[in-house]
Amino acid sequence: MAKKDNLPMNIDLNDLEPGSNIIYSNEVVSIIAGVAASEVEGIASMVNVPNGSLLGKNRSVTKGVKVEVGTEEVSVELYMNVEYGQPIQKV
C-alpha cells in the first residue's frame, strides 16, 4: 500500500498552533468503541444498530456501535446481547 503524503504518521502536539483542533471521524471512534466492547466479559455479541448503517470496511468491528462526534463531546451507543446469567449492571 502506498504511503499517503497528506497524513502524518506522528503528531507532535508542541507543533500545533494555539487554538488548533484534532478532529476524529465517526468511523475511528466507532472502531475504538467496538474493540473496547469486544474485550468486556459478559458481552455475548453485538447486534445491528436500528436504522443505522455499518461503517466502511470495518463492519465486524463497528457492528452494534452508533457514534455521533460533536465539537466538544462524543455520544456512543452500544447495542449488544449480554451472556445469560450475567448481571447487566456489571457488564
Side-chain angles (χ1 to χ4, degrees):
M1 183 183 302
K3 181 180 175 186
K4 295 182 180 180
D5 293 329
N6 62 341
L7 299 176
M9 298 305 287
N10 296 314
I11 297 174
D12 185 0
L13 296 178
N14 295 324
D15 290 342
L16 294 176
E17 295 179 24
S20 297
N21 295 320
I22 297 175
I23 300 171
Y24 298 96
S25 72
N26 288 3
E27 186 171 5
V28 170
V29 177
S30 294
I31 291 169
I32 293 168
V35 169
S38 71
E39 296 177 359
V40 174
E41 288 186 41
I43 294 180
S45 63
M46 301 299 284
V47 297
N48 289 328
V49 175
N51 299 323
S53 62
L54 299 174
L55 296 173
K57 303 175 200 171
N58 303 300
R59 291 186 181 117
S60 63
V61 177
T62 60
K63 180 179 180 181
V65 180
K66 183 178 179 183
V67 170
E68 293 181 26
V69 177
T71 55
E72 295 184 18
E73 68 283 328
V74 174
S75 169
V76 178
E77 296 179 18
L78 299 176
Y79 296 85
M80 65 191 103
N81 291 318
V82 177
E83 291 177 0
Y84 180 79
Q86 294 288 331
I88 294 175
Q89 309 88 311
K90 294 185 179 183
V91 171

